[in-house]
Amino acid sequence: DVKVTQSSRYLVKRTGEKVFLECVQDMDHENMFWYRQDPGLGLRLIYFSYDVKMKEKGDIPEGYSVSREKKERFSLILESASTNQTSMYLCASSSTSSGRTWSDTQYFGPGTRLTVL
Amino acid sequence: QKEVEQDPGPLSVPEGAIVSLNCTYSNSAFQYFMWYRQYSRKGPELLMYTYSSGNKEDGRFTAQVDKSSKYISLFIRDSQPSDSATYLCAMSVVRNTPLVFGKGTRLSVIA
């Protein structure tokens, strides 16, 4: 089974702190994604990566950065946390395999609920 | 107009009912359509995957895609309390590109 793990389920930080959210997948997937999920707004893409050291901006990258030094790990960084970044953060991964049609579906981690005070 | 529209509900049905969940979309280039189920305080999990138009059935679940109407549906037969969750539709133009999600429909199945 594909497993995507996120470093924390719940996190409370202060305004202005630098925050690191870690995501690890164990299926050798090439692609990794960071989303945030807010009531009434749904899932919104922050950043994604198709390969090590590669990153692409999603729909709402402002205030965030990412790091992918190893294939299995994708980190989301809040350089200076603000209260409007209080949200559920979801990491996902997928394979670039050209085999079965299901092979490129995204698998999600359990999420990190971040509260910024 | 939002790229993907989904009625947020909440939708409440009795156990055993047939449930119909729907999404409409505006981008005619979408080809890959998915339904995810998300239980409270968990990440979404893939439920159904459909390429292009047509129907797909998996147990009590049936996914339909009508590209001419830009409309997709998920039907749940003989609904169970364990089906209570938020259902998210998602779609993409090209494989392995980021998905565009609907906002999700919250479903409650009452025993």
Side-chain angles (χ1 to χ4, degrees), chain A residues 9-10 31 35 37 40 43 45 48 50 90 94-97 100-106 108-110, chain B residues 32 34 36 38 41-49 51 56 58 88 94-99 101-103:
Chain A
R9 293 299 306 274
Y10 300 93
N31 314 311
Y35 297 87
Q37 186 175 33
L43 277 154
L45 181 66
F48 59 103
Y50 287 135
L90 289 158
S94 72
S95 170
T96 312
S97 166
R100 298 174 299 140
T101 50
W102 286 64
S103 64
D104 61 346
T105 54
Q106 292 187 22
F108 283 85
Chain B
Y32 299 89
M34 283 140 264
Y36 282 81
Q38 186 176 22
R41 304 188 196 288
K42 297 283 177 74
E45 56 179 342
L46 182 71
L47 200 56
M48 301 286 282
Y49 180 111
Y51 169 65
K56 188 168 189 177
D58 184 2
L88 300 149
V94 178
R95 288 177 72 183
N96 286 310
T97 53
L99 299 174
F101 283 87
K103 292 182 181 178

Side-chain angles (χ1 to χ4, degrees), chain A residues 17-72:
Chain A
E17 279 193 79
K18 190 169 185 176
V19 181
F20 293 86
L21 302 181
E22 304 286 339
C23 175
V24 178
Q25 49 91 6
D26 67 357
M27 283 301 292
D28 202 34
H29 282 175
E30 294 83 3
N31 314 311
M32 298 189 76
F33 308 84
W34 274 107
Y35 297 87
R36 63 177 283 178
Q37 186 175 33
D38 301 285
L41 296 176
L43 277 154
R44 292 180 292 167
L45 181 66
I46 305 172
Y47 267 96
F48 59 103
S49 169
Y50 287 135
D51 201 351
V52 175
K53 297 194 185 292
M54 289 185 64
K55 61 184 179 184
E56 299 279 348
K57 291 181 180 178
D59 299 320
I60 50 163
E62 296 78 20
Y64 304 95
S65 62
V66 290
S67 171
R68 193 162 181 206
E69 297 295 319
K70 293 186 178 180
K71 191 176 185 181
E72 67 270 19

Side-chain angles (χ1 to χ4, degrees), chain A residues 73-86:
Chain A
R73 187 180 298 269
F74 193 33
S75 303
L76 181 69
I77 303 153
L78 286 67
E79 296 289 342
S80 177
S82 62
T83 55
N84 64 11
Q85 292 178 311
T86 292

Side-chain angles (χ1 to χ4, degrees), chain B residues 34-97:
Chain B
M34 283 140 264
W35 285 96
Y36 282 81
R37 177 175 61 194
Q38 186 176 22
Y39 290 114
S40 182
R41 304 188 196 288
K42 297 283 177 74
E45 56 179 342
L46 182 71
L47 200 56
M48 301 286 282
Y49 180 111
T50 310
Y51 169 65
S52 193
S53 284
N55 292 2
K56 188 168 189 177
E57 189 172 322
D58 184 2
R60 296 184 295 110
F61 299 90
T62 299
Q64 286 185 353
V65 175
D66 182 348
K67 290 189 74 179
S68 61
S69 303
K70 300 197 189 87
Y71 188 86
I72 69 170
S73 302
L74 177 71
F75 297 96
I76 307 174
R77 290 185 299 281
D78 187 25
S79 56
Q80 303 295 309
S82 58
D83 295 326
S84 299
T86 297
Y87 290 81
L88 300 149
C89 64
M91 46 199 82
S92 67
V93 173
V94 178
R95 288 177 72 183
N96 286 310
T97 53

Side-chain angles (χ1 to χ4, degrees), chain B residues 3 7 16 21 23-24 31 44 62 91 94-95 100-101 104 106 111:
Chain B
E3 207 165 11
D7 188 333
L21 304 168
C23 287
T24 59
Q31 295 191 81
T62 299
M91 46 199 82
V94 178
R95 288 177 72 183
V100 180
F101 283 87
R106 192 169 150 200

